[in-house]
Amino acid sequence: MLAPRKKLWSTPSSAVDVALDFASPLKPEDVVFDVGCGDGRVLIQMASRSVVPAESDTARDFSSRSCAADGETTAGQRQQDHHYCRQFVGIEISEERAAEARRNVQAARETEEVPSHVQIDIICANALDTEAIDYSRATVIFLYLVPRGLRLIRPIVWPEVGAGGGAGGADASEGS
């Protein structure tokens, strides 16, 4: 079990802000995975900040994943209000929650909260099933799981993103 079954844990928006700052700068070729995506809110929130790079940005060096890439920030300030990532993948074990995530993504597309250049896929599978999930595509993996879930998933995802990508985990049992 990666997440509690009896009580649903919602990822706070502040955790998404921290994750985006940690992974910045997200490039057009990045692929962000959200393990245990639930209703898709994190994917939608991340995708809503994606923009098409301007001509002047195409010459920019995106090779570094430094949190200070766009300048220093003060405590509590977000690093970037936008990024260039176009691909997001949610993994959810519950068929009902995966269907809910797909509906929420579709609704966000219809209201143009999710830009048309962004692709969001929802996979209904056990995140520990490496036959069903190809983590080699991921350059960033977002994890907001219970401690046991973090312990179980780490050996699976760490080899995939450890060499140049980014994986961040938060203990959902802390409730923040």
Side-chain angles (χ1 to χ4, degrees):
M1 176 175 79
L2 298 179
R5 292 285 188 165
K6 294 181 182 176
K7 179 180 178 187
L8 296 176
W9 295 88
S10 294
T11 305
S13 293
S14 60
V16 177
D17 293 338
V18 170
L20 286 173
D21 285 348
F22 173 77
S24 77
L26 287 175
K27 304 170 286 191
E29 61 273 11
D30 278 325
V31 181
V32 176
F33 276 47
D34 178 7
V35 176
C37 71
D39 63 6
R41 265 183 292 153
V42 168
L43 294 165
I44 293 166
Q45 185 176 346
M46 288 183 170
S48 71
R49 297 186 191 166
S50 178
V51 297
V52 177
E55 287 297 317
S56 62
D57 288 336
T58 57
R60 219 169 121 190
D61 178 15
F62 289 111
S63 60
S64 167
R65 287 211 183 274
S66 166
C67 287
D70 281 350
E72 297 300 318
T73 59
T74 59
Q77 250 186 338
R78 263 204 325 268
Q79 175 90 22
Q80 293 181 322
D81 287 332
H82 69 276
H83 59 77
Y84 304 104
C85 184
R86 298 182 298 217
Q87 297 180 57
F88 298 86
V89 178
I91 302 166
E92 177 56 49
I93 195 169
S94 163
E95 289 183 29
E96 293 83 21
R97 296 286 279 170
E100 180 183 11
R102 289 185 190 105
R103 286 190 304 272
N104 290 340
V105 167
Q106 182 59 36
R109 285 194 183 291
E110 290 169 2
T111 63
E112 298 180 359
E113 182 180 357
V114 171
S116 61
H117 71 279
V118 171
Q119 177 182 338
I120 301 176
D121 297 314
I122 307 296
I123 300 170
C124 184
N126 184 332
L128 300 174
D129 182 355
T130 56
E131 299 281 324
I133 310 296
D134 179 11
Y135 287 105
S136 68
R137 293 182 37 217
T139 56
V140 175
I141 300 179
F142 181 79
L143 306 166
Y144 189 76
L145 306 169
V146 297
R148 181 174 184 269
L150 291 172
R151 283 193 305 276
L152 290 171
I153 197 77
R154 185 173 184 207
I156 294 170
V157 301
W158 204 255
E160 298 298 337
V161 297
D171 181 347
S173 67
E174 294 174 5
S176 60

